[in-house]
Amino acid sequence: MTAERLTADVVVVGAGPVGLMLAGELARDVNVVLVEKRRAPDTTSRASTLHARTMEILESRGLIPDLGEPPNEVRGHFGGIPLDLTLPSTHPGQWKVQQTKTEAVLEEWALAAGAEMKCKHELVAVGEVGDWVELEALGDQGVLRMRCRYLVACDGEDSTVRRLIGADFPGEDARRELIRADIAGIDIPNRRFERREHGLAIAARRPDGVTRVMVHEFGSSAGQRPGDAEFEEIITVWKRVTGEDISGGTPLWVNAFGDASRQLTHYRHGRILFAGDAAHQKMPIGGQALNLGLQDAFNLGWKLALHLRGKIGDDLLDTYHTERHAVGRRVLANIRAQAQLLLGGPEVEPLRTLLAELIGQEDVRTHLAGMISGLDVRYDLDGDPHPLLGARMPHTALHIANRRVHPARLLRTGGGVLVDLRARAATEPPAGWADRVSAVPVRAEDDSLLHGADRLLLRPDGHIVWVGQGGTGAGLEEALTRWFGPPKPVPRLEY
C-alpha cells in the first residue's frame, strides 16, 4: 500500500456545503485541502432551503447568479404554523435550492480559488503534535498522511473528527422522528404540515415531477436504526396517517431524522475547530440546519485566514466559538420548540392556536422571522451599546459615485471595509491597515436605519465592529487592532 504525504495550512474534513463554503473562503489567502470520504458527489438533496442571510452571504461572494433562478417563497413556518418571513434584505423570504445545486456551486468556487480536494479518503487518526495537526486517511490507492496548521471538522453530525478526539457533545437523543422520501410516479395532493387525527403529513411535488413526502405518526418514538429507513415503512405509516397508497411509486431516496439536540461544549479544541452539523445536531426544521452551518463557515473563514497570514494572533479564533456557540444554542432552542409543536399530538393544539394568534402581531412575526432567517444575529462585542454594533449592516441602498449598490457588494474583496457615510469624494484606507481594510465613500438612501452613524467599520463577514458619530474617530484604531491586527509598520527612510 502506497503512502502519500501532504502539508497544508488548513485541512477541512468533509466536502459538504459547509466544508466547501469554508474552503472557498480560505483558498483565496492560504493553502487548503478538503478531505472527503465519499467516492462521488451526493445525488440526494437533503436540504432545499436557503434563508435571507445566507443569500446575502452568497451575494457578497458573487455566487448568486450561479444558483440560476430558484423559486422564492415568502411564507415559511414556525413549528408548522404559517409565518411570513419578509424582512428588509436583498433576498427576503426563503429560496428553494436543492442541496446538490448548492454543493456544485460552492465546489466550483472553492476549486477555482485554489482549494485541493482529496475524495475517497476516510479519516482514521488525528491529533496535535507541537505546532501542527497530523492526520491519516485511508483511500483506495493507499494511505494519505497530512500535517496542517489547523484542521476544521465539517464532517456532519456523526463527525469522525469529534469521535477521534473525544470532544464533549452533550445533549438529548432523539425521542421522535419524521420519515421522508423522494418518490417518482405518485400523484397525491400537496400538503403543508397537515395535522390529521393520527399524525403529521407533508407532501410537495417538485417541478421535475418527484414528490417529497414526510410523515410522523403521533405517539411513535424514534428507535435505533442500523441504516436508513425502508420504503415499505413510509408506505405503511403514510397509509395509516393519510389513508393513501403510495406503494406504486419509485423511491429515489428514503431516510428518517429525529429530534436529537446536541451541541459541542467547545467549537475550538486548540488547532482543531468544528463547524456545521459536526458542532451541533438538531432536527432540520425549516432549513435552519444547513443555513446555520454555512454561517458558521462564513464567520470562521476570514478569521482563520487573517491569522494564518500573520496579521493577527490566534486569540481571534476564540471569538469564533464565543459568537457561533451562542447563535447555535439559540437556534437549537427554537428548533426544540418547533419540534414539540410539529410532532406533539392533540395536547399541543391549544399552544398552536395561541401561537397562531400571536404571530398575527407584527412584533412577534418580525422577531420569529429574524430568528429563522438569521437576519437578526447580533454578536456581543462588549463595547459601546450602539444599536448597530455587532449586527450586520442594515439593508439600505447605497450610492457609490453614480452606482447604486447594497451592503453585500461592499464585501466582495473579502477584507474589512470602512464605510464613510459622509460620501466624501476621496476616502483613504486606514493608515497601517490598507492591506486588510478598504475605505468606501457612500451615501445611504435611508439614514434612519443608521442611528446617526457617519462611519462604520465592517468585518469581512459584514458585521459592524465600530460606529463613528459626530465626525470623530474615537475608538477606531482600537477596533482595527482588535479585529484586523496591529498596524503595518511604516518603513524607516534611510538617508
Side-chain angles (χ1 to χ4, degrees), residues 176 195 340-353:
R176 293 165 299 196
R195 289 174 60 85
Q340 181 66 23
L341 291 167
L342 270 176
L343 306 182
E347 72 279 1
V348 302
E349 287 301 328
L351 183 58
R352 291 176 59 84
T353 300

Side-chain angles (χ1 to χ4, degrees), residues 367-415:
H367 178 82
L368 294 178
M371 178 190 300
I372 290 172
S373 66
L375 293 173
D376 74 345
V377 171
R378 182 183 178 192
Y379 298 127
D380 183 2
L381 304 184
D382 298 322
D384 187 327
H386 192 281
L388 293 181
L389 199 68
R392 88 194 209 288
M393 186 168 176
H395 174 69
T396 181
L398 304 171
H399 291 267
I400 303 176
N402 295 322
R403 292 184 300 132
R404 187 176 187 267
V405 302
H406 287 94
R409 292 191 64 86
L410 301 178
L411 306 173
R412 289 287 175 90
T413 65

Side-chain angles (χ1 to χ4, degrees), residues 1-6 11-15 33-40 116-125 135-146 155 160-161 164:
M1 183 175 285
T2 62
E4 181 182 7
R5 297 181 183 275
L6 288 175
V11 168
V12 178
V13 180
V33 177
L34 283 149
V35 176
E36 171 57 55
K37 67 180 180 181
R38 290 179 298 179
R39 298 175 178 273
E116 182 180 357
M117 187 180 297
K118 292 290 185 180
C119 293
K120 306 179 187 178
H121 284 84
E122 186 164 3
L123 192 69
V124 294
L135 61 142
E136 186 173 293
L138 296 180
D140 290 348
Q141 304 302 314
V143 179
L144 173 64
R145 293 190 176 95
M146 300 188 65
D155 52 345
T160 300
V161 177
L164 288 174

Side-chain angles (χ1 to χ4, degrees), residues 31-300:
N31 174 252
V32 57
V33 177
L34 283 149
V35 176
E36 171 57 55
K37 67 180 180 181
R38 290 179 298 179
R39 298 175 178 273
D42 200 341
T43 58
T44 60
S45 198
R46 295 171 182 266
S48 59
T49 299
L50 296 179
H51 285 296
R53 179 56 184 149
T54 299
M55 294 292 282
E56 290 181 352
I57 287 169
L58 297 176
E59 172 69 23
S60 75
R61 296 300 181 254
L63 296 173
I64 291 295
D66 297 332
L67 296 177
E69 298 182 359
N72 173 232
E73 298 178 3
V74 298
R75 187 179 68 157
H77 72 95
F78 189 90
I81 299 169
L83 174 66
D84 183 350
L85 294 174
T86 304
L87 289 172
S89 170
T90 53
H91 295 82
Q94 55 185 0
W95 300 77
K96 308 310 289 185
V97 182
Q98 296 300 311
Q99 184 172 321
T100 49
K101 179 65 174 179
T102 302
E103 288 190 10
V105 168
L106 292 174
E107 180 177 325
E108 181 178 0
W109 174 60
L111 296 181
E116 182 180 357
M117 187 180 297
K118 292 290 185 180
C119 293
K120 306 179 187 178
H121 284 84
E122 186 164 3
L123 192 69
V124 294
V126 62
E128 284 193 57
V129 180
D131 293 334
W132 297 90
V133 179
E134 295 190 352
L135 61 142
E136 186 173 293
L138 296 180
D140 290 348
Q141 304 302 314
V143 179
L144 173 64
R145 293 190 176 95
M146 300 188 65
R147 67 174 190 166
C148 55
R149 295 177 64 187
Y150 287 90
L151 180 146
V152 186
C154 302
D155 52 345
E157 61 183 35
D158 296 321
S159 170
T160 300
V161 177
R162 197 178 61 227
R163 173 177 54 81
L164 288 174
I165 72 168
D168 190 25
F169 196 47
E172 300 175 356
D173 291 331
R175 295 181 296 116
R176 293 165 299 196
E177 67 179 8
L178 273 165
I179 312 171
R180 64 180 168 180
D182 288 343
I183 308 172
I186 60 173
D187 185 13
I188 59 175
N190 281 347
R191 291 184 168 89
R192 187 177 175 86
F193 304 107
E194 184 175 282
R195 289 174 60 85
R196 302 171 70 91
E197 180 181 359
H198 299 296
L200 172 72
I202 303 162
R205 189 168 186 172
R206 303 194 315 231
D208 62 3
V210 174
T211 300
R212 173 164 291 187
V213 301
M214 292 188 278
V215 64
H216 169 74
E217 188 172 16
F218 294 148
S220 63
S221 59
Q224 292 294 325
R225 293 181 178 274
D228 281 338
E230 299 292 336
F231 187 43
E232 289 73 18
E233 182 179 3
I234 200 167
I235 290 171
T236 300
V237 178
W238 188 265
K239 181 66 178 280
R240 286 204 296 257
V241 171
T242 69
E244 296 170 351
D245 183 4
I246 57 174
S247 62
T250 301
L252 306 181
W253 171 60
V254 183
N255 89 326
F257 59 93
D259 61 350
S261 183
R262 295 185 176 278
Q263 186 178 27
L264 275 176
T265 303
H266 300 286
Y267 284 13
R268 181 186 180 193
H269 291 247
R271 293 181 175 270
I272 299 174
L273 300 106
F274 293 81
D277 289 347
H280 36 72
Q281 180 182 7
K282 83 295 295 170
M283 200 171 204
I285 294 175
Q288 289 186 91
L290 171 62
N291 289 268
L292 180 64
L294 291 171
Q295 292 162 35
D296 286 346
F298 197 58
N299 182 285
L300 175 60

